Amino acid sequence: MPQKNKTLGEFIIENQGEFKYSSGELSRLINSIRLAAKVVNHEVNKAGLVDILGAAGDINVQGEDQQKLDVFANEAFIKTLTNREIVCGIASEEEDDFITIKGRNEKNDNKYVVLIDPLDGSSNIDVNVSVGTIFSIYRRVTPSGTPVTIQDFLQPGHQQVAAGYIIYGTSTMIVYTTGHGVNGFTLNPAIGTYYLSHPNMKFPETGKIYSVNEGNYVHFPQGVKDYIKWCQAEEGERPYTSRYIGSLVSDIHRNMIKGGIYIYPNTAKDPDGKLRLLYECNPMAYIVEQAGGKASNGFERIMDIQPATLHERVPFFCGSKQMVEKAETFMEAAKS
Ligand code: P6P
């Protein structure tokens, strides 16, 4: 069990050997994400002062264009990742297409691609509810020395070499995995250092929390309706508790600590589901599976889905293994 209160920097150096291929780039990549997260955290925490500092589109007190926070976050992560000369390409939920990074002397010889949702749940900022950044890292699959292509981004989730999220909540945390378990680091804002606060995070096998936007109930598939009614029935440890923040990172982070299931099914409005496979579901699935949980589209493992487009959406069932499996039995039963 890693020793608590170690800094993120010390942890990365001590676990350098665990990264199968890395000669340090993956560590530097995680470090660059750590830096960008501090920059975004500073801006997110100022959001409450928007009346003083000006809303997006205004000119702020420094005479600069006040940016929407998701635009700011997107630019902060892209700039930091580009400057560190470690990745050959970036795909962002905020960008229509991927960004090619040619690297030193335009050699196109950087090893990794990063996919990022720079500020997930940003609509919650105006009401002071926690939001998050989600990142996913793959090794490129096309030949080094050539510009990155769409194939480098359309990899199934089980090819990820690292994934993580930053949660800008009552405290700011980085939670990530490189395939050797999940560890959580809490930022001490006074000194700008992250400390290992949640070593070796484990998703409880089961739980009593279900997280779904029941406002969409009438549009849910029958299997989801049946599962929700089962959660609400008076039997044994049920009824379960309904908890839904409307911020994916926060809902899953809470459920990973307490036990629970998060469901965003397909609905009439979102016939393929609302969440993006590449920027939200695959990274969260990697983290959740590494912590002993489960993530599917109601029928098949999320990380086995072969992506066809950058922004494709999937239904998402994610959390405590036994709860996801129970929901899948209702989905299967409703099929027949
Ligand atoms: P709804 C935020 O927009 C998000 O992508 C997730 O963070 C969140 O879980 C979900 O959408 C909320 O969607 O339709 O319930 O408001």
Side-chain angles (χ1 to χ4, degrees), residues 41 68 180 185 216 242 305 310 318:
N41 176 62
K68 272 172 67 69
H180 301 275
F185 300 81
N216 297 323
S242 173
I305 297 173
L310 272 181
C318 176

Side-chain angles (χ1 to χ4, degrees), residues 93 117 120-124 134 212-213 216 244-249 251 262 264 269-270 274-276 280:
E93 191 185 79
D117 182 356
D120 182 75
S122 51
S123 58
N124 286 308
I134 308 170
V212 63
N213 182 345
N216 297 323
Y244 189 75
I245 296 178
S247 179
L248 176 69
V249 168
D251 277 317
Y262 171 98
Y264 206 106
K269 181 165 158 273
D270 297 298
K274 175 184 182 185
L275 302 184
R276 266 89 167 195
E280 294 166 309

Side-chain angles (χ1 to χ4, degrees), residues 109-143:
D109 56 358
N110 293 336
K111 275 186 211 167
Y112 297 102
V113 295
V114 178
L115 294 94
I116 193 151
D117 182 356
L119 206 59
D120 182 75
S122 51
S123 58
N124 286 308
I125 285 183
D126 301 344
V127 294
N128 209 4
V129 165
S130 56
V131 292
T133 295
I134 308 170
F135 64 89
S136 174
I137 302 172
Y138 296 81
R139 285 172 59 79
R140 71 176 300 177
V141 291
T142 55

